[in-house]
Amino acid sequence: IERIAVLTSGGDAPGMNACIRSVVRTGIYHGAQMFGVMQGYQGLINDEIIPLNSKSVSNIVQRGGTILKTARCLEFKTPEGRKKAYDNLVKHEIDGLVVIGGDGSFTGAEILSREYDIKVIGVPGTIDNDLFGTDFTIGFDTANNTVIEAIDKIRDTAASHDRLFFVEVMGRDAGYIALWSAIGGGAEAVLIPEKETSVDDLVDKLMVDLGNLKTSSIVVVAEGEHGGGAMAIAEKVKERFNYDTKVSILGHFQRGGSPTSFDRVLASRLGQAAVEALLKGHNRKMAGMISNHVALTSIDLAIKNKTEMDETLIELVNILAI
Ligand code: F6P
């Protein structure tokens, strides 16, 4: 491996830039030629491949988003799209590819490297924290801190007005942000896709809470819950429980911002690990962090396996809400 390209794909996540920087500088340190692909897989198809040097990644460790930009690319899902992508890799004589993204991005990488002679290593970059083979994904910690800051502020106004708030956070298929921010933000309840909660049970709990000790409550809701997120659940609750209720949807605010120290260090370590894995001849692996050690997991497993949601965390929300 002598010429390595890096791309970011799927939803952006704070810390992606720190990871790009680490990939580029680790490659240069070991004598490789480094390239960046703009717009994820779309840039591979359109030949938007640019050489990167150490200076190209200066002053980005602290920046949210991704300097390489990102996209969700449908054309790459077709054999014709992947052929174009591979032809462009050959044109630039690139023999190793680092893909920073989530499971959709890894699926693309896996297929490309099975069809063609290109080695790929994935780095988990998504705020959702929903990948097997790593304790944390790049961006999760920053997103949680952003959510906690919002919940703290919502709590001030909820308490002043004696209101019930439904706060919707990101995670279409994964409840990690919801669960972590519910614990860290002191929410009364959490609704996540991994565990079904009936509206009746939720209303019973809120009636007890708000009828007794509490005058305000915060319920964290993962987007997509009950077929429409916080708005849908609030409507259903209001049908049974007449309380001053508000909905706050945090939205893409959660995906931006300067990465936390944790995310910067995680991104830097995984970027280094990805490049060194390529240089050692690894292929179709994801560089993750397990118990504070870098661990390579086959991309195949990282995509197929689901990390079990820790039931004790769900229980903790309930314990802390009494
Ligand atoms: O995967 C990250 C994520 O932010 C999810 O939490 C969310 O469901 C999705 O991306 C939103 O995607 P988009 O930005 O394309 O609307």
Side-chain angles (χ1 to χ4, degrees):
I1 298 271
E2 282 169 7
R3 292 162 75 89
I4 298 173
V6 55
L7 62 80
T8 48
S9 165
D12 63 343
M16 279 184 163
N17 281 327
C19 190
I20 294 167
R21 171 177 175 267
S22 173
V23 165
V24 170
R25 292 200 170 159
T26 302
I28 292 169
Y29 176 83
H30 289 294
Q33 292 274 327
M34 301 305 293
F35 296 84
V37 182
M38 301 304 293
Q39 315 271 9
Y41 291 118
Q42 198 61 55
L44 266 192
I45 293 171
N46 298 346
D47 193 16
E48 289 179 75
I49 301 173
I50 51 171
L52 295 177
N53 59 32
S54 173
K55 194 97 185 19
S56 323
V57 292
S58 295
N59 198 20
I60 64 166
V61 70
Q62 80 285 14
R63 278 167 60 188
T66 158
I67 59 161
L68 295 177
K69 302 197 183 244
T70 183
R72 300 188 198 273
C73 177
L74 291 178
E75 197 181 348
F76 195 72
K77 293 190 174 167
T78 67
E80 297 76 26
R82 290 193 295 276
K83 167 90 173 58
K84 281 189 210 163
Y86 181 66
D87 287 346
N88 288 326
L89 287 168
V90 170
K91 182 171 146 191
H92 294 274
E93 296 175 55
I94 290 164
D95 41 12
L97 181 64
V98 176
V99 172
I100 308 168
D103 54 356
S105 315
F106 290 172
T107 305
E110 163 88 15
I111 298 173
L112 181 75
S113 99
R114 285 202 185 277
E115 285 175 341
Y116 298 105
D117 182 24
I118 176 82
K119 288 196 163 60
V120 298
I121 297 288
V123 180
T126 162
I127 62 166
D128 292 347
N129 203 35
D130 57 349
L131 283 165
F132 178 84
T134 191
D135 294 340
F136 296 104
T137 57
I138 297 165
F140 174 64
D141 186 60
T142 307
N144 265 315
N145 278 286
T146 302
V147 172
I148 295 281
E149 191 187 336
I151 291 179
D152 288 351
K153 289 178 175 162
I154 288 169
R155 178 179 295 287
D156 288 345
T157 177
S160 304
H161 285 265
D162 289 346
R163 279 176 171 159
L164 163 62
F165 262 87
F166 290 92
V167 180
E168 181 179 307
V169 302
M170 274 189 155
R172 204 166 20 218
D173 310 307
Y176 290 92
I177 297 177
L179 192 52
W180 276 61
S181 63
I183 294 170
E188 274 63 38
V190 62
L191 302 181
I192 55 174
E194 292 84 353
K195 190 172 173 75
E196 209 174 309
T197 309
S198 78
V199 177
D200 286 344
D201 288 351
L202 179 64
V203 170
D204 290 346
K205 175 178 167 40
L206 293 171
M207 277 176 157
V208 172
D209 281 0
L210 293 167
N212 296 333
L213 288 171
K214 306 186 184 196
T215 53
S216 66
S217 265
I218 290 177
V219 178
V220 178
V221 184
E223 71 177 284
E225 267 303 278
H226 289 264
M231 208 61 107
I233 188 84
E235 285 308 316
K236 287 181 190 160
V237 169
K238 273 195 254 176
E239 281 168 19
R240 276 202 48 203
F241 183 41
N242 185 22
Y243 203 85
D244 191 359
T245 300
K246 295 282 175 187
V247 172
S248 191
I249 298 171
L250 301 187
H252 285 78
F253 171 68
Q254 297 160 85
R255 283 237 296 261
S258 181
T260 57
S261 158
F262 181 88
D263 273 331
R264 295 182 200 193
V265 175
L266 178 69
S268 301
R269 290 180 72 185
L270 296 185
Q272 176 199 10
V275 171
E276 290 180 350
L278 274 178
L279 296 174
K280 282 184 194 140
H282 287 282
N283 190 13
R284 292 192 288 273
K285 302 267 170 68
M286 183 192 81
M289 191 69 68
I290 300 176
S291 302
N292 205 25
H293 290 284
V294 169
L296 296 178
T297 300
S298 97
I299 283 195
D300 202 32
L301 285 181
I303 301 164
K304 281 195 198 128
N305 286 359
K306 273 257 166 217
T307 317
E308 286 288 307
M309 184 55 79
D310 186 345
E311 289 278 335
T312 64
L313 295 182
I314 302 171
E315 192 188 5
L316 185 57
V317 175
N318 297 327
I319 291 174
L320 297 178
I322 58 172

